Amino acid sequence: MQTLQLLLSGVAQGMIYALVAFGYNITFSTSRTINFSLGNFLMLGGVIAFVLYMTRELPFALALAAVVLVGAVGGAILLKVAVEPSLRQRSAYGWILATLAVSIVLRNAVEVFWSTDDFRFNSPLGDSPLRFFGEKDAEGVVQGGVGVYPQELLVIGVSLAIVAAVELFKRRTMFGRAVLAVSEDKDAASLMGIDQRFVILFSFMLSTAIACVAGVLVAPLTLVSATMGTVLGVKAYAVSIVGGLESGFGVVVGGLLFGLSEALTARYLSTGYKDVPGFVLLILVLLFRPSGLFGRTVVRKV
């Protein structure tokens, strides 16, 4: 029973990593750039949802809609202000520093204008665990067995739904096929009349909106603070490398490997070592399969 509970917690944590890593996947496939500010966009989503839902007491659905809107607008601003100027100058590393700078600005702005403290975010589904496979007491309440928080089930369900919806969108819609065409060859896509600049803008808006939603999902499982996205962003980037930067399925598998290894290591070894298996896997992947477990090996003809 305890192992099953650990597996559920590990899957929920892994899906958060996968959701942010999916954002890296989206921007890389269209622009060949990595948005290193996604971790702090996750934080921004959690903070905005906390302010609107917990402080202002707005309906959760309205707070979530505001978070998605802020994330999408933030992605557009990030592209126009930080990434596009670097790409126009054909700077090999300018966009890396630009996205990192935006990430630091976001965190510092939240610290200055909001708070540096940690806050408890109550789940809209309740904070009492659901219990399965236990025994009912005299009052009919299930005791023992496996306990899982409703928020963990919400994280798993919403994360899988977002990844599946985006993959279906790319394969079943006309605009989605335009995104795939830009991913394969931007110059050829332009010759076919596809506005590659709009596709790249859309990919940045989508990736930051998804990262903000991830912040709303993870906030009730942790604490809301200006620093909550730093470690999550780094681990999600490691997940995207392990799974393969161009593989949506790969980032889901990578997220599950990280989440499950952390949960099992923390339980059976020590919480101090819970990050070790994931990063050892990252090193092995970089050594023996640099394109990731499900990434494509690109062969360039010279």
Side-chain angles (χ1 to χ4, degrees), residues 148-233:
V148 57
Y149 290 102
Q151 188 68 26
E152 291 179 321
L153 298 178
L154 183 68
V155 166
I156 297 170
V158 172
S159 300
L160 288 175
I162 289 176
V163 173
V166 173
E167 290 297 316
L168 282 174
F169 166 77
K170 288 196 291 187
R171 287 165 174 73
R172 300 293 176 85
T173 68
M174 187 65 74
F175 186 71
R177 292 192 181 98
V179 174
L180 288 176
V182 173
S183 303
E184 291 295 326
D185 191 324
K186 288 196 288 188
D187 293 333
S190 294
L191 292 174
M192 295 170 64
I194 296 172
D195 186 350
Q196 61 164 295
R197 294 184 62 183
F198 181 73
V199 169
I200 292 173
L201 172 65
F202 172 78
S203 70
F204 268 81
M205 294 174 70
L206 181 62
S207 67
T208 47
I210 289 175
C212 284
V213 171
V216 180
L217 292 174
V218 76
L221 300 176
T222 59
L223 295 172
V224 179
S225 71
T227 58
M228 65 180 285
T230 305
V231 174
L232 286 172

Side-chain angles (χ1 to χ4, degrees), residues 39-54 60 63-64 67 110 114 119-121 211-220 222-226 228-229:
N40 278 329
F41 269 100
L42 176 149
M43 173 273 297
L44 187 64
V47 168
I48 291 173
F50 177 85
V51 171
L52 296 180
Y53 177 65
M54 296 290 295
F60 183 76
L64 181 61
V67 164
V110 169
W114 184 59
F119 295 90
R120 173 71 182 160
F121 191 119
C212 284
V213 171
V216 180
L217 292 174
V218 76
T222 59
L223 295 172
V224 179
S225 71
M228 65 180 285

Side-chain angles (χ1 to χ4, degrees), residues 3-291:
T3 301
L4 180 58
Q5 190 160 351
L6 285 172
L7 292 177
L8 285 171
S9 298
V11 169
Q13 186 65 35
M15 291 312 299
I16 289 295
Y17 297 149
L19 203 52
V20 181
F22 196 54
Y24 292 126
N25 165 273
I26 292 170
T27 55
F28 183 78
S29 63
T30 58
S31 65
R32 291 295 184 267
T33 62
I34 304 291
N35 180 5
F36 286 105
S37 64
L38 284 184
N40 278 329
F41 269 100
L42 176 149
M43 173 273 297
L44 187 64
V47 168
I48 291 173
F50 177 85
V51 171
L52 296 180
Y53 177 65
M54 296 290 295
T55 306
R56 304 292 181 185
E57 297 184 351
L58 293 180
F60 183 76
L62 190 59
L64 181 61
V67 164
V68 172
L69 179 62
V70 169
V73 173
I77 295 173
L78 169 74
L79 175 66
K80 295 297 180 183
V81 173
V83 178
E84 273 193 354
S86 301
L87 295 179
R88 276 199 297 270
Q89 295 172 2
R90 298 185 181 280
S91 171
Y93 305 105
W95 57 267
I96 298 175
L97 298 176
T99 56
L100 287 173
V102 169
S103 180
I104 293 170
V105 168
L106 278 178
R107 191 181 70 190
N108 288 348
V110 169
E111 289 175 339
V112 170
F113 294 107
W114 184 59
S115 175
T116 57
D117 295 332
D118 299 333
F119 295 90
R120 173 71 182 160
F121 191 119
N122 296 331
S123 170
L125 300 180
D127 294 317
S128 299
L130 302 174
R131 295 209 164 271
F132 304 95
F133 310 119
E135 295 181 357
K136 291 184 178 180
D137 59 15
E139 298 178 350
V141 179
V142 178
Q143 301 290 343
V146 177
V148 57
Y149 290 102
Q151 188 68 26
E152 291 179 321
L153 298 178
L154 183 68
V155 166
I156 297 170
V158 172
S159 300
L160 288 175
I162 289 176
V163 173
V166 173
E167 290 297 316
L168 282 174
F169 166 77
K170 288 196 291 187
R171 287 165 174 73
R172 300 293 176 85
T173 68
M174 187 65 74
F175 186 71
R177 292 192 181 98
V179 174
L180 288 176
V182 173
S183 303
E184 291 295 326
D185 191 324
K186 288 196 288 188
D187 293 333
S190 294
L191 292 174
M192 295 170 64
I194 296 172
D195 186 350
Q196 61 164 295
R197 294 184 62 183
F198 181 73
V199 169
I200 292 173
L201 172 65
F202 172 78
S203 70
F204 268 81
M205 294 174 70
L206 181 62
S207 67
T208 47
I210 289 175
C212 284
V213 171
V216 180
L217 292 174
V218 76
L221 300 176
T222 59
L223 295 172
V224 179
S225 71
T227 58
M228 65 180 285
T230 305
V231 174
L232 286 172
V234 172
K235 288 185 178 179
Y237 181 59
V239 163
S240 67
I241 297 297
V242 169
L245 265 171
E246 296 185 78
S247 171
F249 176 73
V251 297
V252 172
V253 174
L256 291 177
L257 289 174
F258 265 67
L260 290 172
S261 67
E262 285 184 5
L264 294 174
T265 304
R267 172 63 183 85
Y268 294 111
L269 190 58
S270 168
T271 54
Y273 297 117
K274 69 184 179 68
D275 295 331
V276 173
F279 285 98
V280 168
L281 176 62
L282 172 65
I283 293 171
L284 293 175
V285 168
L286 289 173
L287 286 175
F288 298 106
R289 194 172 172 79
S291 59

